[in-house]
């Protein structure tokens, strides 16, 4: 069976599924929840007293963080600090409207289109009132081994449609009753955006010849969004969903070579095992060579208008977008920091042409026009800090000219990766999320890991990517010149090099000083700040708990004090999951956290339903038993 991990090299499954029969998952889950006597609390979230005893012995110095760190876990549970609790909000396949059937692995595409999508990732809560809010959640990808009863061995047309319906974005209204947030299935705002929802291309690339297909001669009307990784939000109330590994859905059934621009985006003869091209001809590049140009963008969605047409924003460039960290600069320009998550790719910044005006309708067009930049880092030899520059990606400047393969302004955005190389951008160790500090101008970015660092000629070791093969990842921080996010220079340093001081006694693989035996982790990915300036760090790393990764356990979420550098483990996830996606209620007393792909590659997880049930990606809610602010 062919099924590949979405972010790694192609990794065929090496074992046949062991699951034979499943009882009706939805039915049993209801019984299970009833038996526990709690509407949405499941046993996976039980506190662990032994763990807590160990945690209480850990040192604590930060005044920003008021909780006791927890130890690692290899259990199939969510663990949180003493005094905290985790409840389930929604899982893949749960209804998003009152007509939807209950979850079953045998649900068809029509059912899936009315259910919560799979592999939830980045998300934003949009408050409406004290007891109403809308949650927009990305649904990044699907796992054939769980999506289908046949585990992907015999894909049909409806299977493809079901997978496409499991991708995209789920928008759900939440209501608070008896102090608990839950999904309001009757809300008119509930919506699924999928890989076949109609969208509009905007900005300089809209209508370009490279975006025209047999089905869309205008080059402006695009069907769908998929591999929606992380996210962003705007002060004018819209949601930004970022298209990451779009290449994995395309195949080329002809023998004709597609060329360099396809190679640079990882578009190959074979797809990653989704098989969409077999039943949806737009995913066969021999039919539709321009369809891949219509994906790899940031998409702006109005979560308060279920009839609105999502807008793909070509001014933010086409690459494997991780998230979109938007900040309104002091002068009113909107700045969006953007990571391109692939080994040796780049870090970008968009600056809007026009300025933000609170309450103005014109804000809705701010992402339509602006200037894209890419980062070039310079180091101080032997130090983990230095200076950097933002290089402008504007047609006609910096060698972005027809003789270098850029015939017009649209081509610079459509092939932003090639433009970045042309101007001399620094190749990075997989830029994942970017987060801007709420109370100053510092900006943080996770560089998750990179086995090609120091191995491939194009990815030499340098100060900002200082470790050969970088197995653990790191987080960098920069301060724009004079606190101006539109400035073309910045100072940077490394906030943390994750590492393992137990395995590597010294040197860079031991990690920076803020890594110790009590907070080991690898592959930082999702990050976000709360209002007080606590930096939350989520991991998508190796969970073998062996060798280089011993003492790290399952993927987790940590909390950092940006001032002192201290990092404490706050949450551990179930088996073979990734923790990704975070958002808060306005009072910061409820934190929504994503558990993605528990049981990946058929690892033995049954989260969250327990028993024999297949694992399901889920959104959980963290609260304090005393009702206080999370992390304080
Ligand atoms: Fe979807 Fe780079 O993580
Ligand atoms: Ca990620
Ligand atoms: Ca990742």
């Amino acid at each position: 069976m062919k099924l590949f991990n979405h972010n790694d090299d192609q990794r065929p499954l090496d074992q046949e599924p062991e699951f034979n029969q499943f009882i009706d998952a939805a039915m049993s889950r209801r019984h299970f929840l009833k038996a526990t006597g709690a509407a949405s609390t499941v046993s996976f979230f039980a506190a662990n007293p032994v763990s807590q005893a160990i945690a209480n012995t850990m040192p604590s110095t930060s005044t920003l963080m008021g909780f006791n760190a927890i130890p690692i876990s290899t259990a199939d549970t969510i663990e949180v600090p003493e005094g905290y609790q985790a409840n389930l909000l929604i899982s893949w396949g749960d209804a998003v409207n009152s007509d939807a059937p209950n979850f079953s692995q045998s649900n068809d595409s029509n059912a899936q289109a009315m259910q919560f999508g799979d592999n939830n990732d980045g998300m934003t809560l949009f408050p409406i009132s004290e007891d109403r809010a809308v949650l927009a959640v990305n649904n990044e990808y699907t796992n054939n081994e769980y999506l289908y009863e046949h585990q992907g061995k015999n894909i049909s047309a409806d299977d493809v449609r079901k997978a496409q319906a499991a991708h995209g974005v789920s928008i759900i209204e939440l209501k608070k009753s008896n102090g608990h947030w839950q999904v309001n299935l009757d809300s008119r705002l509930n919506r699924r955006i999928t890989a076949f929802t109609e969208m509009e291309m905007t900005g300089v690339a809209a209508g370009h010849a490279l975006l025209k297909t047999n089905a869309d001669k205008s080059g402006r009307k695009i069907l769908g969004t998929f591999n929606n990784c992380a996210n962003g939000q705007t002060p004018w109330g819209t949601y930004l969903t970022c298209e990451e590994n779009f290449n994995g859905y395309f195949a080329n059934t002809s023998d004709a070579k597609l060329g360099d621009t396809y190679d640079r985006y990882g578009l190959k003869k074979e797809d990653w095992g989704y098989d969409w091209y077999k039943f949806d001809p737009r995913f066969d590049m021999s039919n539709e060579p321009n369809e891949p140009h219509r994906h790899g963008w940031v998409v702006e969605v109005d979560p308060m208008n279920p009839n609105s047409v999502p807008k793909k924003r070509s001014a933010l460039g086409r690459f494997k977008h991780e998230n979109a960290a938007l900040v309104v600069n002091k002068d009113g320009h909107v700045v969006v920091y953007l990571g391109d998550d692939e080994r040796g790719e780049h870090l970008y910044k968009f600056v809007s042409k026009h300025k933000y005006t609170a309450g103005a309708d014109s804000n809705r067009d701010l992402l339509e026009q602006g200037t894209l930049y890419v980062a070039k880092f310079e180091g101080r030899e032997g130090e983990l800090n230095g200076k950097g520059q933002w290089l402008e990606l504007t047609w006609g400047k910096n060698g972005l000219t027809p003789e270098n393969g850029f015939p017009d302004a649209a081509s610079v955005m459509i092939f932003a990766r090639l433009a970045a190389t042309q101007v001399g951008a620094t190749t990075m160790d997989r830029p994942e999320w970017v987060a801007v500090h709420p109370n100053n101008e510092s900006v943080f970015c996770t560089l998750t890991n990179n086995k090609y660092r120091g191995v491939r000629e194009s990815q030499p070791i340098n100060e900002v990517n200082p470790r050969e093969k970088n197995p653990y990842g790191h987080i960098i921080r920069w301060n724009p010149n004079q606190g101006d996010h539109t400035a073309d220079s910045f100072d940077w340093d490394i906030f943390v090099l994750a590492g393992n001081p137990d395995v590597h006694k010294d040197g860079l693989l031991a990690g920076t000083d803020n890594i110790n035996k009590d907070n080991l982790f690898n592959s930082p990915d999702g990050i976000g700040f709360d209002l007080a300036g606590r930096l939350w760090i989520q991991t998508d790393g190796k969970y073998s708990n062996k060798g280089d990764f011993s003492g790290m356990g399952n993927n987790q979420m940590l909390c950092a004090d940006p001032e002192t550098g201290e990092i404490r483990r706050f949450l551990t996830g179930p088996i073979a999951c990734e923790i990704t996606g975070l958002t808060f209620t306005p009072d910061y007393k409820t934190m929504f956290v994503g558990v993605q792909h528990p049981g990946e590659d058929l690892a033995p997880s049954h989260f969250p339903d327990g028993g024999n049930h297949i694992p399901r990606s889920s959104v959980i809610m963290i609260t304090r038993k005393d009702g206080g602010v999370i992390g304080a």
Side-chain angles (χ1 to χ4, degrees), residues 6-7 229 244 322 341 430 432 448-449 523-526 539-541 578:
H6 75 297
N7 256 348
C229 185
E244 192 187 19
E322 182 74 18
D341 178 13
R430 296 183 57 193
E432 299 243 34
T448 197
N449 57 54
S523 304
D525 187 341
T539 72
D540 170 23
E578 160 184 351

Side-chain angles (χ1 to χ4, degrees), residues 423-485:
V423 304
T426 303
T427 63
M428 305 296 287
D429 285 352
R430 296 183 57 193
E432 299 243 34
W433 294 44
V434 181
V436 183
H437 196 293
N439 306 319
N440 60 48
E441 284 76 35
S442 59
V443 190
F444 291 67
C445 176
T446 46
L447 299 168
T448 197
N449 57 54
N450 181 6
K451 67 185 179 187
Y452 298 151
R453 178 63 56 187
V455 175
R456 292 195 171 173
E457 203 177 335
S458 60
Q459 300 176 46
I461 291 168
N462 53 31
E463 286 80 6
V464 73
N465 301 282
R467 294 191 294 199
E468 188 180 23
K469 298 183 184 170
N470 192 10
Y472 299 118
H474 56 295
I475 302 178
I476 59 169
R477 166 174 55 189
W478 63 92
N479 282 291
N481 191 21
Q482 303 201 323
D484 176 0
H485 289 289

Side-chain angles (χ1 to χ4, degrees), residues 229-283:
C229 185
N231 64 311
Q233 68 223 55
T234 70
W236 51 95
T238 56
Y239 181 68
L240 303 176
T241 181
C242 301
E243 298 176 346
E244 192 187 19
N245 292 297
F246 65 92
N247 59 315
Y249 299 79
F250 291 92
N252 174 19
T253 59
S254 83
D255 289 328
K257 287 259 186 296
L258 290 162
D260 291 349
T261 61
Y262 293 83
D263 291 345
R264 181 63 186 269
Y265 284 85
L267 291 151
K268 297 188 169 150
K269 186 153 180 58
E270 293 195 9
D271 76 348
W272 287 5
Y274 295 104
D275 284 346
W276 290 7
Y277 72 95
K278 291 181 180 171
F279 295 97
D280 188 341
R282 68 191 170 111
F283 292 96

Side-chain angles (χ1 to χ4, degrees), residues 1 12 29 115 182 209 256 264-265 283 304 321 440 469 497 524 530 546 554 558 604:
M1 172 167 142
R29 178 161 166 252
Q115 294 170 329
Q182 50 194 247
R264 181 63 186 269
Y265 284 85
F283 292 96
M304 299 299 172
H321 279 282
N440 60 48
K469 298 183 184 170
L497 280 172
D530 61 25
K546 292 189 181 125
N554 292 350
L558 308 103

Side-chain angles (χ1 to χ4, degrees), residues 69 200 627:
E200 180 191 344

Side-chain angles (χ1 to χ4, degrees), residues 483-505:
D484 176 0
H485 289 289
T486 70
D488 59 9
S489 66
F490 56 89
D491 292 300
W492 65 268
D493 70 346
I494 291 184
F495 178 68
V496 60
L497 280 172
N500 199 330
D502 289 342
V503 175
H504 306 280
K505 293 300 172 204

Side-chain angles (χ1 to χ4, degrees), residues 80-93:
V80 290
E82 181 64 25
Y84 284 80
Q85 57 199 359
N87 293 312
L88 184 63
L89 178 70
I90 194 166
S91 301
W92 162 51

